[in-house]
Amino acid sequence: MKTIEQYKLELKDQLLSWIGKNDPAHQWEHFNSVYEAGTLINKTLRLGYPEEAILLVAYVHDLFAWDRDVHHVRSQAWVDMGVDHPRVVQELIEKSVSKWPAGKGNFPRAYLAQACGQHRASFRGEFTHEFCELINSADYEKPGKLLPMMVRAWKYAQGHLGVDERSAVKHAIEHMVEKFGRDGYAIYPAMYKRVFAQQVEEIYVEIDHLPKDPTQEEIDQFLQLFKEAA
């Protein structure tokens, strides 16, 4: 029987041709962080979903992140239709289906696909299944310090938007406020707040203190911090 670590290695090997097209913010580090957050939420709330299911969706939900506007749609269709699946993906789907908990619905493969389609912070409406809310929550990753979140946005701006490193600093600051601030569009799911309410408030406070119009000196200071943390 394969371990989760063995599955991770196989995923990194067999998904490389897809992931190679993504920007630096949508690489293995993010996928593993989503997996870790998902397993923590799953365990804390005693939801009972297979680790294989969380691992699979964590590693394929952003498979097409190079096509940002519709990457969630692409991922859902890719999982649902089963076209061009590497061996490890098919194996994880089968394992997830076989270990799906009783009483959690009768169409686990559909839920895996739907979780990909509903993972984005901009998703609105009702989740079609509890597992979709779990993955949407996990995509925010475990709350930590604000700096790693900003570094990820800084990397994204350089890799995906093609801006220079100093302009990317300003983008990262603005992105934190627009997405993760108190009035941002990232509305944390109820499941996420049940587990991380205190940490979310701490992040809000940190974002409250970000400069609204950073000076060149402040940009230089952030740039140094980002490079040291990257």
Side-chain angles (χ1 to χ4, degrees), residues 24-34 59 141 148 155 229:
H26 294 90
Q27 296 289 334
W28 310 113
E29 182 179 8
H30 171 58
F31 302 162
N32 198 58
S33 294
V34 173
Y59 272 64
E141 304 184 5
K155 289 180 178 179

Side-chain angles (χ1 to χ4, degrees), residues 65-86:
W66 51 268
D67 192 4
R68 186 182 185 187
D69 290 343
V70 295
H71 76 279
H72 55 303
V73 178
R74 285 179 175 270
S75 293
Q76 178 171 348
W78 188 79
V79 172
D80 190 43
M81 293 188 295
V83 177
D84 200 22
H85 281 174

Side-chain angles (χ1 to χ4, degrees), residues 136-178:
N136 184 283
S137 298
D139 194 51
Y140 287 100
E141 304 184 5
K142 292 186 292 186
K145 297 299 182 181
L146 185 64
L147 181 58
M149 296 168 62
M150 297 185 73
V151 169
R152 184 163 177 252
W154 176 64
K155 289 180 178 179
Y156 174 85
Q158 293 176 82
H160 196 80
L161 303 180
V163 300
D164 63 75
E165 61 181 15
R166 292 176 61 82
S167 298
V169 169
K170 190 170 183 180
H171 166 84
I173 295 171
E174 293 172 347
H175 184 66
M176 290 303 104
V177 176
E178 293 171 359

Side-chain angles (χ1 to χ4, degrees), residues 2 4 7 50-57 92 95-96 99:
K2 292 181 181 177
I4 290 296
Y7 278 127
E51 280 192 57
E52 291 87 351
I54 298 171
L55 177 68
L56 171 66
V57 180
L92 281 169
K95 185 71 70 172
S96 299
K99 296 176 67 174

Side-chain angles (χ1 to χ4, degrees), residues 10-215:
E10 291 187 23
L11 284 165
K12 290 182 74 170
D13 177 58
Q14 296 179 31
L15 294 178
L16 186 60
S17 61
W18 282 277
I19 303 306
K21 300 177 183 179
N22 284 356
D23 63 86
H26 294 90
Q27 296 289 334
W28 310 113
E29 182 179 8
H30 171 58
F31 302 162
N32 198 58
S33 294
V34 173
Y35 162 74
E36 290 179 352
T39 53
L40 177 60
I41 296 169
N42 188 47
K43 180 179 180 180
T44 302
L45 300 181
R46 299 181 180 180
L47 301 177
Y49 293 106
E51 280 192 57
E52 291 87 351
I54 298 171
L55 177 68
L56 171 66
V57 180
Y59 272 64
V60 304
H61 74 290
D62 279 337
L63 202 62
F64 305 97
W66 51 268
D67 192 4
R68 186 182 185 187
D69 290 343
V70 295
H71 76 279
H72 55 303
V73 178
R74 285 179 175 270
S75 293
Q76 178 171 348
W78 188 79
V79 172
D80 190 43
M81 293 188 295
V83 177
D84 200 22
H85 281 174
R87 182 185 67 257
V88 66
V89 169
Q90 188 56 45
E91 190 174 330
L92 281 169
I93 290 174
E94 293 170 0
K95 185 71 70 172
S96 299
V97 170
S98 68
K99 296 176 67 174
W100 200 258
K104 294 288 189 178
N106 299 319
F107 307 100
R109 178 163 183 155
Y111 308 143
L112 298 173
Q114 291 163 2
C116 290
Q118 298 174 18
H119 81 267
R120 300 184 70 176
S122 57
F123 175 77
R124 296 294 179 266
E126 297 292 327
F127 294 108
T128 57
H129 190 271
E130 181 184 62
F131 185 74
C132 298
E133 183 177 359
L134 170 60
I135 297 300
N136 184 283
S137 298
D139 194 51
Y140 287 100
E141 304 184 5
K142 292 186 292 186
K145 297 299 182 181
L146 185 64
L147 181 58
M149 296 168 62
M150 297 185 73
V151 169
R152 184 163 177 252
W154 176 64
K155 289 180 178 179
Y156 174 85
Q158 293 176 82
H160 196 80
L161 303 180
V163 300
D164 63 75
E165 61 181 15
R166 292 176 61 82
S167 298
V169 169
K170 190 170 183 180
H171 166 84
I173 295 171
E174 293 172 347
H175 184 66
M176 290 303 104
V177 176
E178 293 171 359
K179 182 175 182 179
F180 297 110
R182 295 182 189 277
D183 299 318
Y185 67 83
I187 301 175
Y188 294 103
M191 183 182 291
Y192 190 86
K193 290 189 286 188
R194 285 171 63 190
V195 179
F196 300 121
Q198 180 178 341
Q199 295 95 321
V200 168
E201 177 58 29
E202 291 171 357
I203 290 175
Y204 281 154
V205 171
E206 288 189 78
I207 293 175
D208 289 343
H209 289 87
L210 288 175
K212 292 181 173 56
D213 187 17
T215 64

